[in-house]
Amino acid sequence: QVQLVESGGGLVQAGGSLRLSCAASGRTFSRYAMGWFRQAPGKEREFVAAISWSGGSTYYVDSVKGRFTISRDNAKNTMYLQMNSLKPEDTAVYYCAADSSLITVRTLQSNYWGQGTQVTVSS
C-alpha cells in the first residue's frame, strides 16, 4: 500500500515557476514508477509526466516538454515536478500517481493516487 500527498501548488503569474512535491509513505517507494497528472475545470484528467523507479527514464506530454522536469529522491520517498515558464493553460489540479508498471503509471489506471494540489497561473 502506498499513500501519496502532494504539496507546492499555488498562484503564480504567467512565466513564473513552481515546484510540486509528492511525498509517499511506505518502505517500497523505490519499487514504483511515478507520474503526474492534471485536471483543469471541465476537462478530463490528463497525463503530464512520468518517471521510472530508478529515475533513469522520464516521459512528458508534448505541451510541457522543455518547461517541466520530473525527478525523484528515493531516499526521501519524494517525487518532484519543477514547472517553469508557466502558462495560464497549465492551471489545473495536479495529482501524483504510483504504479508498479511504468506503462500503467502513464494512464488513468494507475494503482495509487494523491488528493491533488491546485496550480493557478494568472495572465
Side-chain angles (χ1 to χ4, degrees):
Q1 191 77 9
V2 177
Q3 292 184 330
L4 305 173
V5 179
E6 303 94 336
S7 62
L11 173 63
V12 63
Q13 289 188 332
S17 299
L18 283 174
R19 188 176 81 155
L20 305 183
S21 298
C22 174
S25 64
R27 296 178 293 175
T28 58
F29 173 76
S30 62
R31 298 181 184 178
Y32 288 92
M34 303 289 294
W36 287 100
F37 290 73
R38 64 187 179 187
Q39 187 166 17
K43 295 188 176 182
E44 294 185 351
R45 191 173 300 189
E46 66 169 355
F47 168 76
V48 175
I51 189 166
S52 63
W53 66 270
S54 68
S57 297
T58 57
Y59 302 86
Y60 299 92
V61 68
D62 286 347
S63 60
V64 308
K65 285 181 181 177
R67 300 189 298 123
F68 290 11
T69 302
I70 189 171
S71 62
R72 65 191 294 164
D73 185 338
N74 287 342
K76 296 182 178 180
N77 280 13
T78 303
M79 173 182 65
Y80 306 97
L81 185 67
Q82 178 66 44
M83 304 186 296
N84 298 328
S85 302
L86 283 161
K87 304 176 181 180
E89 51 264 42
D90 295 317
T91 295
V93 177
Y94 283 71
Y95 299 88
C96 64
D99 198 276
S100 58
S101 167
L102 182 56
I103 295 175
T104 304
V105 83
R106 288 178 273 171
T107 75
L108 297 177
Q109 282 67 51
S110 294
N111 209 2
Y112 302 103
W113 292 90
Q115 293 300 306
T117 185
Q118 176 71 47
V119 172
T120 303
V121 184
S122 63
S123 58

